Amino acid sequence: MGIRPRATLTDDAVTALVSLWLIGGLMLDAWAHSNRPGLESFFTPWHAVFYSGFLATAGWVAWVLWKQWRTGRRGLAAIPLGYGPTVLALAAFALSGVADMFWHTIFGIEESIDILFSPSHLGLAITMCVIVTTPVRSAWRDPSPGTLRRLWPALLGTGLAIAEVMVFLEYGNALLMRATWIVTGLSSTENNSASMLAVRMLVTNAALLLPLLFVARRWGLPPGAATICTVPLLVLSGAETGARNMSTLLSILVAAIGTDLLAQALRPTAERRWAFWTFATVAPFFTWSLYLGVASAAVGNLPTIPELWTGAPIVAAAVGLLLGALMLPGGIGTEGADPGRKDAGVSTPDSGPGVASTTG
């Protein structure tokens, strides 16, 4: 079967950029469904951008495989490490796209929350997540240091995955809220407005924090990692609302930059578990304090229920600590080494430094 090759940094970079085309088309489609009511056709300009992004991605991955084929590799040996699931996902995406066309032909175009639960759309969602995280899986096999130069395709792929997941968790996206809605939501316990906003904040908190903890645990967080991972979700959230929530988006952008500064100060890694746990706690507290503070400043007054606006960032921080503890429950040592890290102590054919695998 042969030893599987590693993709080059250029391969991963182009994969991330064509994935940006794919997710950009998804964002356009999300904008259309949110701002153009009465869609009645599968054949729309934004669908054209979306599916042309898929064709570009599929064509590029085929070229990556063809380059390996030309060197004499055959079968699985021609598929770079990390690209195996991508090949399967591309085929499944195509089938889901055909199914989506027939679904719309039979059942019409969804115009409400049902669009997020359509089986054909969920098929597209799952396969897209596998496709855009290709650079992450590829970088996982690379023993070189986790610098920004090496990791930016993986970070961009992570950010695109966050945005894509939040398309289908739109009902849990706190970044869609305008400042007035945030302040009003935490000013009343009637109509479940406070509960709904609290749930949105916790869902978005997990979506933003977990990928950063994943990257920190594996490589550490290079400068700009949080901002790169956050910007795609900001673009998506602005598109879905027609940019009517600019103060909210600005607060999260500033929070991402602050999170990057926090990461450089703490240097959270698998070997520095107290720094890891501190980062997992402080980052969400800072993010959601800023979220509420900017909303209050934009409206001109604080929410009227102090328990809600003072306690919400604390809850987010507590959840962050829980996620950090679950992801890194103990220290990294000889007996408790993390098998995913390049310095775990014992190399295996799939994860050891400098050793290629026939799987993945």
Side-chain angles (χ1 to χ4, degrees), residues 14 30 36 87 94 128 135 154 157 172 181 187 195 211 223 226 234 240-241 264 278 287 296 303 317 334 348 356:
V14 176
R36 292 288 185 88
V87 175
M128 271 190 292
W181 297 351
S187 297
S195 300
L234 295 177
E240 289 189 315
T241 60
Q264 296 312 300
T278 302
T287 297
S296 299
T334 304
T348 66

Side-chain angles (χ1 to χ4, degrees), residues 82-229:
Y83 281 69
T86 310
V87 175
L88 298 176
L90 288 168
F93 182 99
L95 293 175
S96 297
V98 173
D100 191 43
M101 181 178 64
F102 283 108
W103 184 275
H104 289 319
T105 301
I106 297 171
F107 297 105
I109 304 295
E110 303 92 344
E111 297 184 7
S112 185
I113 194 172
D114 52 348
I115 194 173
L116 306 176
F117 292 89
S118 165
S120 59
H121 287 170
L122 294 177
L124 293 171
I126 294 169
T127 53
M128 271 190 292
C129 196
V130 175
I131 292 168
V132 302
T133 54
T134 302
V136 181
R137 293 189 300 275
S138 178
W140 188 271
R141 269 77 171 190
D142 191 341
S144 60
T147 62
L148 182 61
R149 178 182 179 277
R150 178 64 189 92
L151 286 183
W152 77 260
L155 293 171
L156 178 56
T158 300
L160 294 176
I162 294 171
E164 184 262 322
V165 168
M166 291 306 289
V167 168
F168 291 88
L169 293 179
E170 178 185 344
Y171 44 85
N173 186 358
L175 275 57
L176 300 179
M177 306 294 285
R178 304 181 199 177
T180 53
W181 297 351
I182 295 169
V183 173
T184 301
L186 297 182
S187 297
S188 173
T189 56
E190 298 178 358
N191 301 320
N192 293 321
S193 60
S195 300
M196 293 174 64
L197 178 56
V199 170
R200 282 177 177 262
M201 290 173 64
L202 290 179
V203 170
T204 309
N205 183 44
L208 290 173
L209 182 61
L210 274 172
L212 294 181
L213 296 180
F214 170 82
V215 174
R217 183 177 186 266
R218 179 63 178 93
W219 297 285
L221 290 169
T227 303
I228 294 173
C229 289

